[in-house]
Amino acid sequence: MTRRARGPLAAALAVYLVALTLRPAQTAVGPVLGDIGADLGLGEGALGLLGTLPLLGFAAVSPLVHRFSARWGAEGTLLAALAGLVLGIVVRSWTGAAGLWLGTAVIGATVAIGNVLVPVIVKRDFPDRIAVATGAYSAVIAGSAAVGAAVAVPLAEVGTWRLSLGVWAVPFAVVVVAWWLRTRVRHDAAAEVAEADLAHASTWRSGTAWLVTGFMGLQATSFYVFVTWLPTIEGSFGVSAHTAGIHLFVYQMVGIAGGLLIPFAMRPDSQVGAAVLATVLIGAGTAGLMVAPDAVLLWIVIAGVGSGASLVMSLSLMSLRGRTPSETTQLSGMAQSIGYLLAAIGPVAAGVLAEATGSWTPTLVLLLAFAAGQLAVGIAVGVDRRAPLRRPA
């Protein structure tokens, strides 16, 4: 293999290694929440907060990542985050009740850094293949998330919930070493600081940035409402808990296919068609659950494909609409901060609405409203209408 071929391959491998670390530490928690509560005497409210804490960490830390990146570069910042993630996993599992909360907060904060910077690195290293590279690393994220959830209970049965959650420190430590080796051959901090001079305006005052944020927030909220409440919604249709659990797994796995396929619907000059397709699939699946619940598996597959496609669309938009690494980092941080804050609130609001009305139909209507909003935003943000960025005189 030539040196020219090894360069892109090494860059892709580095991105995928980081992607492997971004979800298992969270998805492994849900299946063993009961064990954690029984061991530490935590009630359902506290356990619910424990599950939501990483999302709140995403929301709090994401807007700050561009400052870290400007100072230490993307590679250096990610190396520190990966090391912090390993430390957080160890603290969460092995330092008692206080460590459970502290470690979970550290995990949320460090994963937020990876969430924000991976789209930046994809834009930098794969400028001509942003959508395809984004689809691939999103598939890795989704696959590792599913594995994290699938092995949690078997590992807890072998040992305890502490082993189930703590075991992830071992493979992630290997990723830390691999990323450290990458930082030795790449020094990008100065370049990113220099490019920061090209972006004077804050992304928080950019209409395009708010559209990207809206798309991210709406798709993330729909996803987390589905993964939180889909088994309960199916239970109201008479579906058994066992079958509903399988359906939830299917929903997440077909999302991988949606994420891998949606780049082929993106045009270089417009992503409107892809945004519309991804969103219509979510809306069609949601509407199908309302009007023909007997075909629940069909609607879950359709909504799942749309959800995976929408995630890749939102991440691709962060890379495509950011004109420099600095601007892309700020845009990614803004979109993911608000997006995950909405994602943390969405399942709570959906549950309160269902409890107040005694039916899950209003929640499905709410999801349809989210899809309608996402469709409007996707059409608006699908074409970049901003003037080219000019270097200040």
Side-chain angles (χ1 to χ4, degrees), residues 19-80:
L20 284 172
T21 71
L22 296 182
R23 290 298 178 270
Q26 295 107 63
T27 59
V29 174
V32 297
L33 272 179
D35 294 343
I36 296 173
D39 184 29
L40 300 179
L42 301 178
E44 292 183 355
L47 293 175
L49 177 59
L50 183 68
T52 304
L53 190 57
L55 293 178
L56 298 177
F58 295 173
V61 174
S62 294
L64 307 176
V65 175
H66 74 95
R67 299 181 184 274
F68 307 145
S69 179
R71 185 176 181 84
W72 296 299
E75 267 74 16
T77 303
L78 265 176
L79 177 61

Side-chain angles (χ1 to χ4, degrees), residues 5-234:
R6 286 198 301 268
L9 180 61
L13 179 60
V15 170
Y16 298 151
L17 284 174
V18 173
L20 284 172
T21 71
L22 296 182
R23 290 298 178 270
Q26 295 107 63
T27 59
V29 174
V32 297
L33 272 179
D35 294 343
I36 296 173
D39 184 29
L40 300 179
L42 301 178
E44 292 183 355
L47 293 175
L49 177 59
L50 183 68
T52 304
L53 190 57
L55 293 178
L56 298 177
F58 295 173
V61 174
S62 294
L64 307 176
V65 175
H66 74 95
R67 299 181 184 274
F68 307 145
S69 179
R71 185 176 181 84
W72 296 299
E75 267 74 16
T77 303
L78 265 176
L79 177 61
L82 289 167
L85 175 59
V86 172
L87 178 62
I89 291 172
V90 172
V91 169
R92 180 178 66 178
S93 297
W94 304 110
T95 59
L100 174 71
W101 295 100
L102 176 60
T104 300
V106 170
I107 289 168
T110 53
V111 170
I113 295 173
N115 287 340
V116 170
L117 288 182
V118 169
V120 179
I121 292 173
V122 166
K123 178 182 179 66
R124 185 195 67 197
D125 292 350
F126 310 100
D128 299 323
R129 301 183 299 277
I130 287 175
V132 174
T134 299
Y137 90 72
S138 297
V140 174
I141 290 176
S144 64
V147 170
V151 304
V153 171
L155 286 173
E157 290 174 345
V158 170
T160 66
W161 67 266
R162 299 180 188 278
L163 173 65
S164 179
L165 301 185
V167 71
W168 292 102
V170 177
F172 292 178
V174 176
V175 177
V176 172
V177 174
W179 199 259
W180 173 73
L181 293 174
R182 177 179 171 86
T183 63
R184 296 183 65 191
V185 298
R186 182 168 188 100
H187 304 282
D188 58 347
E192 290 183 9
V193 172
E195 289 198 70
D197 293 337
L198 295 178
H200 285 292
S202 168
T203 53
W204 294 87
R205 295 193 295 270
S206 164
T208 297
W210 278 106
L211 289 172
V212 173
T213 298
F215 196 92
M216 171 66 189
L218 288 166
Q219 68 84 23
T221 304
S222 295
F223 172 79
Y224 280 100
V225 169
F226 266 112
V227 298
T228 301
W229 292 116
L230 185 58
T232 305
I233 293 172
E234 288 193 52

